[in-house]
Amino acid sequence: YMKLSGGGVTATGGEPLLQVKFLKELFKKLKEEGIHTCIDTSGIVAITDDVKELLKYTDLVLLDIKHIDDEKCKKLVGVSNKKELEFAQYLSDNNIKIWIRQVVVPGYTDDEQDLLKLKEFINALKTVEKVQILPYHSMGKFKWEKLGNKYELEDVRDANQDDVDRVKKILGI
């Protein structure tokens, strides 16, 4: 089925790179069978020897860039963007295909100057095949509330098609 459909296996999560030893063995076996492999990641892990070995068996990485500005990234998701940007550069330097994904969060990830910096960064990577713009939505808000946690983006509206189109225009995609 995999070969006839042109399909493959995508490891996603949570964060699949937190299971790097398992993925390394799985992807090695998949490649032996000629099956396409893909990792859906935020890229916020250290580039260890295990990660490097896993990437030898990886055909494509779907990489979320949470925010191009480090301080704004910390404010938005609580961690620096340095590892994810280093990860993107490593993929590019090692000829691993990348699909960049950017979520449009109104008031957070849609500043024109930030988007121009993101465009510059993406254009410097040599293995980016696609850039996907994903609209932020609040569908998961109830989960936070059910867990008794504060939903940090309470006052943020869902992104709409106009938001997505504007970001695409700025990024030139």
Side-chain angles (χ1 to χ4, degrees), residues 5-153:
S5 70
V9 173
T10 300
T12 187
E15 176 51 62
L17 293 179
L18 295 177
Q19 307 297 328
V20 68
K21 290 187 186 298
F22 168 78
L23 280 181
K24 186 171 60 172
E25 296 306 313
L26 174 64
F27 276 28
K28 185 176 182 179
K29 291 184 186 314
L30 290 169
K31 293 314 296 174
E32 288 170 2
E33 296 296 322
I35 297 173
H36 186 274
T37 56
C38 177
I39 299 172
D40 179 353
T41 181
S42 65
I44 59 168
V45 298
I47 303 170
T48 63
D49 287 341
D50 282 333
V51 169
K52 289 177 184 178
E53 187 174 345
L54 167 63
L55 292 172
K56 291 177 185 176
Y57 306 110
T58 304
D59 296 309
L60 174 65
V61 175
L62 309 179
L63 180 63
D64 297 336
I65 295 184
K66 303 299 185 192
H67 204 295
I68 194 66
D69 181 274
D70 192 48
E71 290 306 313
K72 291 179 182 178
C73 187
K74 289 176 192 173
K75 183 177 179 183
L76 181 63
V77 297
V79 295
S80 172
N81 69 1
K82 291 191 186 325
K83 285 184 180 176
E84 69 189 35
L85 299 182
E86 288 171 5
F87 191 78
Q89 191 62 57
Y90 181 86
L91 295 172
S92 178
D93 292 346
N94 287 275
N95 297 312
I96 299 165
K97 295 175 184 172
I98 311 166
W99 289 7
I100 299 288
R101 296 183 311 177
Q102 173 74 38
V103 177
V104 179
V105 182
Y108 288 84
T109 63
D110 59 351
D111 177 79
E112 184 172 356
Q113 292 308 309
D114 292 332
L115 291 167
L116 290 171
K117 289 178 192 171
L118 176 63
K119 179 180 180 179
E120 183 180 330
F121 178 77
I122 291 170
N123 287 342
L125 301 171
K126 62 184 179 184
T127 59
V128 174
E129 290 190 327
K130 183 186 284 190
V131 178
Q132 297 176 308
I133 305 303
L134 309 172
Y136 162 78
H137 59 77
S138 56
M139 289 190 299
K141 176 182 172 185
F142 78 95
K143 293 178 185 179
W144 289 81
E145 292 169 347
K146 195 166 187 140
L147 292 169
N149 294 324
K150 180 181 179 202
Y151 189 70
E152 295 294 335
L153 299 177

